[in-house]
């Protein structure tokens, strides 16, 4: 009898929660305890992973996904009604720049405003770049500085890349080597190298060769900003002499050929030393074609598109209003509409692998540092809050990609490349509860007066996109729901990215190793001809 009564009570409680879900009760209707993970039951949605989509409930407990299946019962859990929505892994943006000292100023979004904007747009994991600026800052010191900033301010989880801007620290070449090894131990599996910004960030080819080889031995990915910095500098000087000072000069000085040449050069160097290569912010068809050629030859290379390159075009920098034109100055430049269409198709054919933003914001006053000289306009556009919905509109609503492909390019591929899968990037039991509810039938309109980034304009102002992120869950916390943020500063965690991820799988079986290359006794070394007539 007692068992029977217990069963009846359980059924009664279940019916109450089922009715609550059907009535569409929102988390707003119940007080959310900040900083506290809670049990959440997502009901009635379509779960979309990179490999499949299916109707399912999702149960979240203790910040993890506890169950995926139909008709899940969990008395006491908060119910989210996801009928008509996609239930997807939270977005992963592998390319952001928060509070970056750059071009005489500091980017406006810090880890607080940047990650708040991220979760408002459906991104639950970001990767910033620790860039050592100045002779006195080492890569290890830069890493620790950025890690502390992120841990103090972030409202979602984050990871870090580390930039290497020189291979000689105060006359000690081995210090950089030691630093690279140490940051890998501390949770970084990617190093960025600039082939542009001559005189400040640019690293020369002879150092690229050595650095790629070192990264390869450490199990870290080599990332490149691919533009020929010498040609850019020459183009800038020529245009200024011709009297071209406005934002359009920025695009003229960095044509697609300058980007494509650097992609080709970096891919050859990386392949010669056996290093996996990641090309950030591919902006032109010409550069993408170099990646396609490299992939066809079997090179280990990844091409990253960014939201700006897939949605904006170069006409903006020719606006007669200088302030408006300067908003779109970034490097490499935003290209033509033909380049934009080619990049979209590159994602469709998998020539390009994933999509970030290169989110780096400067307000109008900061942009005006270059009002008389386009070379002094701080480079960067926004995108972290708009990426997920803009890409859904551009890629899925138009039929270019399936919802599963969309998850792949906005989340899963990044998680796999940076070796945090299946902790991130998938709706599966045991994965972190980073989840979004996206309504494909609802439009999102962007207004700069309503966004969460810290600038006075938005390059997508008044744009409307199909596919609205209605709810964002980060580590089991509801951080965005029905247009309202529920975040607490410092709740985001630094997530280590372990070395030797998927780009290294099988590498040891290949015949050409960087250590052998530099030692001069590669397994793949060609035999010379004996001129004495014997072999």
């Amino acid at each position: 009898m007692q068992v029977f009564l217990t069963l009846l009570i359980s059924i009664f409680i279940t019916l109450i929660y089922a009715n609550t879900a059907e009535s569409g009760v929102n988390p707003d209707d119940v007080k959310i305890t900040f900083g506290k993970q809670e049990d959440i039951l997502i009901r009635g949605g379509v779960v979309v992973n990179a490999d499949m989509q299916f109707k399912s409930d999702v149960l979240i407990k203790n910040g993890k996904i506890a169950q995926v299946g139909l008709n899940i019962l969990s008395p006491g859990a908060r119910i989210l009604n996801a009928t008509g929505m996609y239930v997807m892994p939270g977005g992963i943006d592998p390319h952001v720049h928060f509070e970056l000292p750059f071009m005489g100023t500091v980017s406006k979004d810090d880890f607080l405003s940047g990650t708040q904007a991220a979760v408002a747009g459906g991104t639950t994991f970001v990767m910033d770049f620790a860039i050592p600026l100045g002779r006195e800052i080492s890569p290890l010191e830069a890493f620790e500085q950025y890690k502390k900033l992120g841990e103090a301010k972030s409202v979602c989880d984050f990871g870090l890349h580390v930039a290497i801007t020189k291979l000689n620290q105060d006359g000690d070449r081995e210090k950089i080597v030691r630093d690279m090894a140490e940051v890998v131990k501390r949770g970084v599996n990617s190093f960025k190298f600039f082939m542009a910004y001559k005189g400040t960030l640019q690293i020369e080819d002879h150092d690229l060769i050595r650095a790629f080889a070192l990264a390869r031995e450490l199990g870290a990915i080599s990332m490149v900003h691919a533009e020929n910095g010498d040609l850019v500098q020459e183009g800038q000087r020529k245009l200024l002499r011709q009297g071209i000072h406005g934002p359009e000069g920025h695009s003229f000085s960095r044509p697609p050929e300058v980007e494509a040449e650097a992609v080709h050069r970096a891919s050859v160097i990386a392949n010669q030393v056996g290093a996996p290569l990641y090309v950030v912010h591919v902006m032109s068809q010409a550069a993408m074609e170099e990646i396609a050629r490299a992939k066809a030859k079997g090179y280990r290379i990844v091409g990253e598109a960014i939201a700006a390159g897939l949605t904006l075009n170069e006409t903006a920098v020719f606006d007669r209003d200088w302030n408006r034109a300067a908003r779109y100055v970034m490097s490499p430049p935003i290209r033509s509409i033909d380049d934009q269409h080619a990049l979209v198709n590159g994602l469709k054919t998998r020539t390009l692998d994933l999509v970030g933003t290169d989110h780096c914001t400067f307000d109008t006053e900061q942009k005006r540092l270059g009002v008389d000289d386009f070379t002094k306009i701080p480079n960067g556009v926004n995108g972290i809050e708009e990426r997920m919905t803009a890409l859904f509109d551009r890629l899925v609503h138009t039929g270019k990609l399936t919802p599963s492909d969309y998850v792949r390019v906005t989340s899963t591929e990044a998680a796999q490349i940076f070796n945090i899968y299946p902790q991130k990037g998938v709706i599966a039991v045991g994965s972190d509860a980073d989840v979004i509810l996206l309504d494909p039938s609802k439009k999102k309109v962007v207004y700069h007066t309503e966004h969460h980034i810290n600038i006075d304009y938005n390059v997508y102002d008044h744009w409307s996109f199909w596919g609205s992120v209605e709810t964002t869950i980060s580590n089991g916390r509801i951080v965005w729901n029905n247009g309202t943020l529920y975040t607490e500063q410092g709740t985001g965690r630094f997530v280590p990215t372990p070395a030797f991820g998927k780009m290294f799988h099988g590498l040891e079986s290949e015949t050409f190793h960087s250590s052998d290359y530099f030692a001069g006794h590669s397994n793949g070394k060609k035999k010379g001809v004996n001129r004495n007539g014997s072999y």
Side-chain angles (χ1 to χ4, degrees), residues 366-377:
Q366 290 173 304
K367 288 282 188 176
R368 289 186 66 81
L369 291 172
V371 70
D372 296 318
D373 181 348
F374 69 84
T375 68
K376 297 178 181 178
I377 301 172

Side-chain angles (χ1 to χ4, degrees), residues 94-323:
H95 191 155
V96 304
H97 296 285
F98 297 149
E99 45 198 300
L100 172 68
F102 186 52
M103 299 186 72
T105 186
V106 180
S107 62
K108 291 293 287 187
D109 281 311
D110 62 6
F111 275 92
L112 177 58
S113 64
T115 55
Q116 285 179 326
V119 299
T123 291
T124 55
F125 186 79
V126 299
M127 298 191 73
D128 206 325
F129 293 80
I131 302 178
L133 297 168
R135 293 180 56 84
E136 70 282 0
I137 303 297
S138 71
L140 181 57
E141 290 167 336
F143 164 75
E144 288 297 339
Q145 288 176 2
Y146 271 79
K147 182 172 178 284
K148 288 177 182 177
L149 287 172
E151 290 174 332
K153 298 181 180 181
S154 291
V155 303
C156 68
D157 290 351
F158 69 98
L160 291 172
H161 316 286
V162 171
I164 303 298
T165 58
K166 53 184 175 294
L167 284 190
N168 188 329
Q169 182 78 30
D170 298 326
D172 183 359
R173 293 182 66 87
E174 292 306 311
K175 176 168 175 47
I176 301 296
V177 176
R178 294 193 299 270
D179 273 12
M180 289 175 68
E182 185 59 31
V183 296
V184 169
K185 291 179 182 177
R186 297 189 189 189
V188 172
N189 70 0
S190 46
F191 294 104
K192 183 178 182 180
F193 307 95
F194 290 88
M195 301 173 75
Y197 300 112
K198 190 171 181 66
T200 55
L201 299 174
Q202 182 173 330
I203 189 167
E204 303 299 331
D205 285 359
H206 62 275
D207 281 335
L208 272 185
I209 294 170
R210 184 165 180 255
F212 283 4
L214 289 170
R216 184 249 182 237
E217 294 303 319
L218 293 169
I221 300 163
S222 294
M223 311 175 78
V224 290
H225 173 131
E227 289 182 291
N228 186 313
D230 294 272
L231 287 176
V232 168
Q233 186 180 74
E234 182 60 31
Q236 290 172 334
R237 290 171 175 170
K238 180 179 179 180
L239 289 162
L240 290 172
R241 287 196 300 268
Q242 293 174 350
I244 298 175
H245 299 274
E248 68 278 8
H250 179 79
S251 293
F252 290 150
S253 69
R254 310 172 100 98
E257 294 80 6
V258 167
E259 182 186 2
E261 185 280 331
V263 172
H264 175 78
R265 181 159 37 99
S267 66
V268 170
I269 292 172
N271 186 63
Q272 287 296 300
V273 301
L277 182 68
Y278 183 117
V279 182
V280 303
H281 49 42
V282 178
M283 296 296 281
S284 66
Q285 180 175 355
M288 183 182 71
E289 287 172 349
E290 291 295 339
I291 291 172
R293 291 189 188 97
K295 286 188 173 185
K297 294 178 181 179
Y299 292 9
R300 292 172 181 255
I301 186 170
V302 161
E304 172 200 271
I306 61 170
L310 299 170
T311 56
L312 305 173
N313 70 78
E314 65 186 356
T315 58
V317 298
F318 295 92
D319 196 296
R320 294 177 67 86
D321 183 327
W322 190 96
N323 288 344

Side-chain angles (χ1 to χ4, degrees), residues 308 357 359-361 380-384 386 453 455 457-460:
T357 60
H359 180 91
C360 188
T361 52
V381 301
N382 63 278
I384 197 167
E386 300 78 24
I453 56 177
I455 56 174
Y457 62 88
N458 191 305
V459 295
Y460 297 104

